[in-house]
Amino acid sequence: MFYPESVAIVGVSKRTDGAGNQFLQVLQKFGYSGRIYLVHPTATEIEGLKAYPSLKDIPDKVDFVNISAPAPYVPQIIADCVAKGVPAAEIFTAGFREVSEEGHKLELEIKKIAAGNMRIVGPNCFGVYSPAGGLTLLPGPNYPRESGNVGVISQSGGWVGEFIWGSDAFNMNFSQVVSYGNGIDLNEVSLLEYFAEDPNTTVIAAYLEGINDGDRFRKTVSSLRGIKPVIIWKGGLSETGKRAVNSHTGSLAGDRSVWNAFFKQTGAVPVSGFEELLDTTALFNYLSPGNYRNLAFIGGGGGVGVAASDICEGFGFKIPQSTAEIMGEMSKLIPAQGTSIKNPFDTGSPNTPAQVLERLVKIVAGWTEIDALIVNRLFFYGLRQLMGEHLAEQDARVSAIIKVKQQIDKPLLVVLEELAYGSDKIDMERDRRNVRDALLKAGIYVTPNVYRALRALHNYSEYWKGAGMKRKAS
């Protein structure tokens, strides 16, 4: 399924705007190098490729089938797959149990035909994104071609697309991504078991609406504790959300108290939204295992430190008070007026010279009372436009952070505030992203604001706290 040498698309149209046609176009643009076959009942050629009346008329072996035909035709297409010896298919088509009892009957028919003969992703799904296999999904001709270590399981196709695009902000790539929709065959349980065994996958992220086999899923997640983190965004925990889940994928959402118990027992990381799923998953690629609770902040403004302190308290972090030794060292570098040599440290300006910034970070990182350091608002990328600062000064600060990161043994996170600039200031956002990309490339976790950084760090620390306790007990 992930590495097919040939793909057939059933549901292409003589028009160019059909779902099957769109899948063909993104597959070609993505660079799939295998053979592509098209199936259409009457056309002999579509978009420059030969079309066949049915799957059984294709003279060669077919490894994987994309089905975009209307729901009533899908059982026969699956029967043709079985007759042809096709091992796997993804059913993009919707209109099954999520809409009616008649659709539910179609699902049962499909499942009966496929049982023991082939594997199915879907229906009502976006399917498979496999960078190494050359497969992509709608709307992804520009998704990364590079493989990574993150496996994604999602009942939602829309969230999958957003997650892949959002991963660019963290320089994060994927082993495999599967949008499985209604999950009549391959579902969250079987896909999780695959990722558990896959040596290319070290972190697993999931958006789930319902569970097919709760006990099997619980045992698999538990077996991965302290080995491969599993981060789960469980949709449909509110009463309104439960109704939405039923109309989206026809799943039973489950009770909040049951899921709270599940997370406590298994060590899976619970998150409550898209950004939290993205931030937390990415952080597992940047830090060494640890429970990081005592933090230091270096920021370019007093209000920055105040806000960070309030957020820290909400997540249970501590901000140790500066020692006399630390304050003595900091006072040699930071002016006395308009600054603070106490934790959180305030340099007084986001335009801190690169050499000073490097020494400040090194001093704080050497403080034994802290577990991690967050650099906040010390890259004011708007200065070049607003005050004529030369780009070389910004680059020097980036180089300073990268240099000191290579010399310290504590986690270093950088906040590059993402602001809602007007369209006339688009160059400022371009500068911000250039700074971000350089830091990410050097292995430094970068986040758009302090709240998101601390929320992800809290999830990360709680995971390793629980995993460490389990290892000690065993």
Side-chain angles (χ1 to χ4, degrees):
M1 185 174 74
F2 294 135
Y3 309 98
E5 295 181 3
S6 58
V7 174
I9 304 173
V10 184
V12 286
S13 169
K14 294 178 182 178
R15 307 189 318 271
T16 60
D17 59 349
N21 300 67
Q22 292 177 38
F23 179 73
L24 168 64
Q25 292 156 15
V26 300
L27 194 62
Q28 290 175 322
K29 290 177 182 177
F30 188 72
Y32 175 69
S33 60
R35 302 183 304 277
I36 299 176
Y37 302 101
L38 306 182
V39 175
H40 189 279
T42 59
T44 58
E45 182 179 299
I46 294 177
E47 299 197 31
L49 293 178
K50 182 177 180 179
Y52 298 86
S54 75
L55 281 165
K56 293 184 289 185
D57 294 310
I58 297 173
D60 304 313
K61 180 175 177 286
V62 175
D63 292 328
F64 192 52
V65 174
N66 172 278
I67 301 173
S68 300
Y73 297 98
V74 175
Q76 182 57 54
I77 296 168
I78 294 299
D80 289 346
C81 286
V82 171
K84 178 70 178 174
V86 175
E90 59 184 13
I91 305 174
F92 181 83
T93 308
F96 292 90
R97 73 166 183 255
E98 78 280 4
V99 296
S100 67
E101 181 58 33
E102 197 61 37
H104 190 201
K105 291 178 181 177
L106 283 175
E107 282 192 4
L108 295 176
E109 185 180 356
I110 291 167
K111 191 172 182 178
K112 183 177 180 180
I113 295 168
N117 298 305
M118 62 180 298
R119 305 314 303 261
I120 293 175
V121 180
N124 185 28
C125 74
F126 276 19
V128 175
Y129 163 56
S130 174
L135 287 180
T136 190
L137 45 76
L138 294 173
N142 297 318
Y143 289 159
R145 272 70 165 177
E146 300 81 16
S147 291
N149 65 310
V150 178
V152 178
I153 302 167
S154 176
Q155 281 188 269
S156 165
W159 283 128
V160 155
E162 292 293 325
F163 196 83
I164 297 170
W165 281 125
S167 68
D168 189 53
F170 294 98
N171 198 28
M172 179 170 63
N173 289 317
F174 303 93
S175 53
Q176 316 289 352
V177 176
V178 184
S179 156
Y180 66 93
N182 295 7
I184 63 170
D185 177 32
L186 293 173
N187 53 42
E188 69 289 334
V189 180
S190 48
L191 292 169
L192 178 67
E193 289 172 343
Y194 170 84
F195 284 130
E197 297 294 332
D198 178 30
N200 298 318
T201 301
T202 61
V203 181
I204 303 166
Y207 169 78
L208 306 177
E209 294 181 354
I211 299 294
N212 284 273
D213 187 336
D215 190 54
R216 187 170 142 206
F217 188 75
R218 179 186 58 80
K219 288 178 180 177
T220 305
V221 176
S222 296
S223 72
L224 294 173
R225 190 172 195 167
I227 301 170
K228 291 186 181 184
V230 181
I231 304 103
I232 298 175
W233 174 16
K234 175 61 183 70
L237 290 178
S238 67
E239 289 305 314
T240 305
K242 289 177 183 178
R243 293 197 299 270
V245 159
N246 188 257
S247 64
H248 180 215
T249 55
S251 299
L252 296 176
D255 185 76
R256 188 183 297 274
S257 62
V258 172
W259 276 94
N260 288 341
F262 165 84
F263 286 118
K264 185 176 180 180
Q265 291 173 11
T266 63
V269 181
V271 299
S272 57
F274 168 72
E275 286 183 345
E276 189 176 2
L277 179 67
L278 184 64
D279 297 342
T280 304
T281 302
L283 191 58
F284 276 93
N285 286 322
Y286 285 90
L287 302 190
S288 300
N291 182 14
Y292 303 108
R293 287 295 170 186
N294 300 303
L295 307 180
F297 287 84
I298 300 179
V304 173
V306 173
S309 299
D310 289 343
I311 299 170
C312 274
E313 185 173 307
F315 284 112
F317 291 109
K318 294 181 179 180
I319 302 181
Q321 293 186 358
S322 304
T323 63
E325 180 182 1
I326 291 292
M327 289 191 290
E329 291 293 320
M330 299 292 274
S331 65
K332 299 174 185 178
L333 300 170
I334 298 178
Q337 290 77 33
T339 63
S340 175
I341 54 176
K342 299 179 180 179
N343 188 23
F345 303 98
D346 174 16
T347 66
S349 169
N351 194 20
T352 305
Q355 289 183 333
V356 174
L357 177 60
E358 180 182 337
R359 292 173 65 187
L360 288 173
V361 174
K362 193 175 293 185
I363 290 170
V364 177
W367 184 15
T368 57
E369 291 296 312
I370 68 161
D371 303 318
L373 168 61
I374 297 177
V375 173
N376 184 20
R377 288 226 182 177
L378 282 176
F379 291 94
F380 191 17
Y381 19 84
L383 284 176
R384 187 159 69 94
Q385 284 75 23
L386 301 179
M387 301 174 63
E389 183 193 48
H390 195 274
L391 188 60
E393 295 180 41
Q394 177 176 279
D395 291 342
R397 284 196 290 279
V398 172
S399 297
I401 290 291
I402 293 173
K403 180 180 177 181
V404 74
K405 171 65 170 64
Q406 296 168 343
Q407 298 172 347
I408 65 176
D409 61 356
K410 285 191 174 75
L412 172 63
L413 290 74
V414 173
V415 176
L416 294 181
E417 199 74 20
E418 190 177 60
L419 302 176
Y421 298 125
S423 58
D424 61 325
K425 299 180 180 65
I426 195 68
D427 284 345
M428 295 168 66
E429 175 61 16
R430 186 176 293 110
D431 280 355
R432 187 189 76 84
R433 294 192 185 194
N434 287 337
V435 170
R436 178 199 70 187
D437 292 349
L439 294 173
L440 290 171
K441 189 175 180 181
I444 299 172
Y445 182 83
V446 181
T447 178
N449 59 59
V450 173
Y451 179 83
R452 288 175 62 173
L454 293 175
R455 181 176 58 185
L457 187 60
H458 168 78
N459 293 338
Y460 185 89
S461 295
E462 285 293 297
Y463 174 80
W464 286 113
K465 175 184 175 183
M469 290 169 60
K470 182 191 175 192
R471 285 199 301 269
K472 185 176 180 181
S474 60

